[in-house]
Amino acid sequence: TSGGLAQGFLLTIDTGPNAENVLINSVVGSTVTVMRDLGGNNTAHASGVPVTQVDTLHLNAQGFQIVANAVAKYLTAYQVAPQP
């Protein structure tokens, strides 16, 4: 149990056919309130099942390049010509 939890994080509770995605609504002390029914099996989970944080924006090298190219293309429309 390392790291921290915060509002807006997505978590996957359990694994396999019992896996369920939830969104953290609030964290107060050791109490975490979540919104359920975001995908997966909306069911009870046994104590001690794995809980993992979902990386909502994971880009590999190719993904970063696609985003960089799109931003560069967008910004070229706003380029200012050098003044003489």
Side-chain angles (χ1 to χ4, degrees):
T1 59
S2 62
L5 298 175
Q7 181 179 3
F9 282 14
L10 286 173
L11 302 175
T12 299
I13 301 172
D14 220 334
T15 59
N18 288 331
E20 174 185 6
N21 295 320
V22 298
L23 177 68
I24 296 178
N25 288 333
S26 68
V27 178
V28 178
S30 62
T31 302
V32 179
T33 305
V34 299
M35 178 173 46
R36 298 183 71 180
D37 203 17
L38 294 176
N41 192 358
N42 189 2
T43 187
H45 301 281
S47 176
V49 297
V51 177
T52 55
Q53 183 179 344
V54 178
D55 186 354
T56 57
L57 179 64
H58 176 74
L59 300 175
N60 59 16
Q62 183 180 4
F64 278 115
Q65 191 61 55
I66 290 168
V67 172
N69 292 346
V71 170
K73 182 178 179 181
Y74 174 81
L75 292 176
T76 57
Y78 298 98
Q79 281 185 326
V80 178
Q83 299 296 320

